Amino acid sequence: LYQATVGSQLTTQFPVERDYCIRFCKSVIQLCQDCNLEVSEQFYEKIGELHLQPSSAADFYKTYFLSSDPSLTVSLREASAVISGGTTGLSSWTAGEYLACWLDGQDRARLVEG
């Protein structure tokens, strides 16, 4: 599970928001404990590693999986600042993922025709 999520090459290349990653690891640990499953030490190590990083307004990435094929992903760089450089809209629109899936299922010729 660790290698498929927070320990994956994708998250190394496109790191998620620090606090989100900490919450995810803690949730996995809690779920394992609730189910009496052994918790991988890697999750504890990841939390420790993340706590050593400064909690700043650094950019992070959101990755969207557009199909069941894990190679079809889109990673977007986002900023935690509400306003930056005089503009807002520095985060992806959640409905955009659904729009992409809907468009994928449409007849492209019909869409181009209007």
Side-chain angles (χ1 to χ4, degrees):
L1 178 63
Y2 179 83
Q3 293 300 326
T5 56
V6 295
S8 71
Q9 181 179 357
L10 184 64
T11 14
T12 302
Q13 186 176 4
F14 301 107
V16 298
E17 184 182 20
R18 174 190 170 270
D19 292 340
Y20 175 83
C21 192
I22 290 171
R23 287 191 310 272
F24 174 80
C25 290
K26 287 181 176 181
S27 294
V28 169
I29 291 169
Q30 186 63 53
L31 181 63
C32 289
Q33 290 172 344
D34 291 347
C35 295
N36 294 321
L37 298 172
E38 185 176 344
V39 179
S40 170
E41 288 294 317
Q42 293 173 309
F43 286 104
Y44 292 108
E45 292 169 3
K46 186 68 172 182
I47 290 172
E49 174 188 314
L50 291 167
H51 276 295
L52 292 175
Q53 296 176 2
S55 180
S56 65
D59 291 353
F60 57 91
Y61 293 85
K62 281 190 182 177
T63 299
Y64 295 93
F65 296 87
L66 302 178
S67 76
S68 59
D69 180 358
S71 67
L72 295 176
T73 62
V74 174
S75 294
L76 303 173
R77 183 173 53 105
E78 298 194 350
S80 56
V82 177
I83 298 178
S84 178
T87 185
T88 60
L90 299 174
S91 62
S92 60
W93 181 42
T94 306
E97 179 182 8
Y98 295 104
L99 177 62
C101 291
W102 181 81
L103 288 172
D104 188 47
Q106 300 301 307
D107 180 3
R108 286 178 179 78
R110 266 188 50 224
L111 290 172
V112 172
E113 292 170 0

